[in-house]
Amino acid sequence: MSLITLDKVTKIYPDEFVALEEISCRIREGEFVSLVGASGAGKSTLLKMIYANERPTYGAIYFGGRDIASIPERLLPFYRRNFGTVFQDFKLLPKKTVFENVAYALEVQGKSNAQIREEVPKILEIVGMADQMDKYPDQISGGEAQRIALARAVIHRPRVLIADEPTGNLDPVSTDEIIRLLLKINELGTTVILATHDQSIVDRLHKRVIVLNQGRIVRDDSQGRYN
Ligand code: ADP
């Protein structure tokens, strides 16, 4: 059974702009899926709907078989715990250290200090930032900041990692590092959905690719070929 199913999803923004048109696809647990397409193709809109930040105008999205439109508003924060998210800008809290930035993700979920002291160094080790946990965001590079954002996104062990243009602000070396980490997180069992306009990344991944063009799926290829 698929983890996420989109059934003829159409999104029309209030200004009548059709951002997505009859999108249907299934994503299985443990998959690594890249969503590619030019800027404006609808990638972010699709991710926002999966995360229940935007609602489809027509069609339905199922998560684990449940229509997410049926989840009451007050339970959406619990639904969203299934996900970790990273974006082009790292969104780190500038007045908190690397350790505190990652710890914060557990604090808001009510985890104990003992758990936090145990879990945070472990995930910082995985992303290769354990030796820099007392630094502040302005003391680390963009690539390092994105590694921290990744650590923060997955520390609560989400089922799905949503990465929306995570390498958009990074140099080629840092880009490689982030892609390598996304693959590692995927190998550890997390489903990864990566949106990017950078086809060279997709070339190297050899994972499933869904190509969007003006709000429609124009290709869905399990071998990572996009044209
Ligand atoms: P991508 O992530 O592929 O760059 P987006 O999903 O951000 O594409 O945007 C798809 C289209 O929808 C764009 O033309 C954009 O201008 C439009 N759009 C996105 N968000 C909104 C919004 N809140 N209101 C109106 N139009 C929007």
Side-chain angles (χ1 to χ4, degrees):
M1 199 184 77
S2 66
L3 179 59
I4 301 168
T5 302
L6 281 80
D7 184 20
K8 293 191 179 159
V9 170
T10 292
K11 177 66 181 178
I12 305 173
Y13 280 114
D15 58 3
E16 303 289 303
F17 185 84
V18 183
L20 291 171
E21 209 170 340
E22 300 222 342
I23 298 289
S24 294
C25 68
R26 294 164 180 271
I27 297 173
R28 290 185 305 279
E29 185 122 51
E31 260 195 296
F32 189 122
V33 184
S34 300
L35 213 52
V36 296
S39 179
K43 305 181 294 294
S44 296
T45 299
L46 192 57
L47 296 179
K48 281 182 199 156
M49 288 197 296
I50 291 172
Y51 191 66
N53 254 351
E54 290 281 356
R55 287 182 183 278
T57 312
Y58 304 108
I61 299 173
Y62 301 86
F63 187 93
R66 179 175 187 185
D67 183 347
I68 64 175
S70 73
I71 301 171
E73 193 73 28
R74 69 190 159 81
L75 295 181
L76 283 180
F78 294 96
Y79 168 70
R80 295 194 181 112
R81 285 189 190 179
N82 288 298
F83 298 89
T85 53
V86 284
F87 302 94
Q88 182 163 342
D89 50 338
F90 321 119
K91 299 188 198 289
L92 298 182
L93 301 164
K95 295 200 171 120
K96 288 185 186 282
T97 63
V98 161
F99 180 95
E100 290 163 349
N101 263 281
V102 179
Y104 187 66
L106 291 180
E107 280 164 24
V108 296
Q109 296 197 357
K111 295 282 158 61
S112 72
N113 280 338
Q115 275 172 309
I116 290 171
R117 275 195 303 272
E118 188 181 328
E119 296 288 328
V120 174
K122 263 200 243 167
I123 194 74
L124 288 176
E125 192 70 50
I126 289 176
V127 300
M129 288 293 290
D131 54 345
Q132 305 203 56
M133 57 184 158
D134 294 326
K135 288 192 175 171
Y136 287 86
D138 65 1
Q139 297 173 315
I140 60 178
S141 70
E144 289 168 340
Q146 192 60 298
R147 283 195 263 155
I148 299 307
L150 265 179
R152 182 184 55 184
V154 298
I155 193 164
H156 67 293
R157 298 168 200 263
R159 287 171 80 178
V160 182
L161 175 65
I162 288 178
D164 192 356
E165 298 280 2
T167 61
N169 279 333
L170 302 181
D171 59 75
V173 173
S174 304
T175 294
D176 280 353
E177 185 68 25
I178 293 301
I179 297 303
R180 199 180 56 76
L181 278 174
L182 291 177
L183 286 167
K184 188 165 167 182
I185 288 164
N186 178 242
E187 273 160 25
L188 293 172
T190 307
T191 305
V192 175
I193 310 177
L194 164 69
T196 179
H197 67 273
D198 184 349
Q199 297 190 332
S200 72
I201 290 176
V202 180
D203 275 343
R204 284 176 280 156
L205 281 170
H206 304 291
K207 300 278 190 188
R208 178 178 175 193
V209 59
I210 295 174
V211 184
L212 282 178
N213 184 20
Q214 296 184 351
R216 286 178 168 272
I217 293 182
V218 292
R219 179 153 196 158
D220 186 343
D221 189 295
S222 61
Q223 304 300 312
R225 292 173 299 234
Y226 54 80
N227 56 23

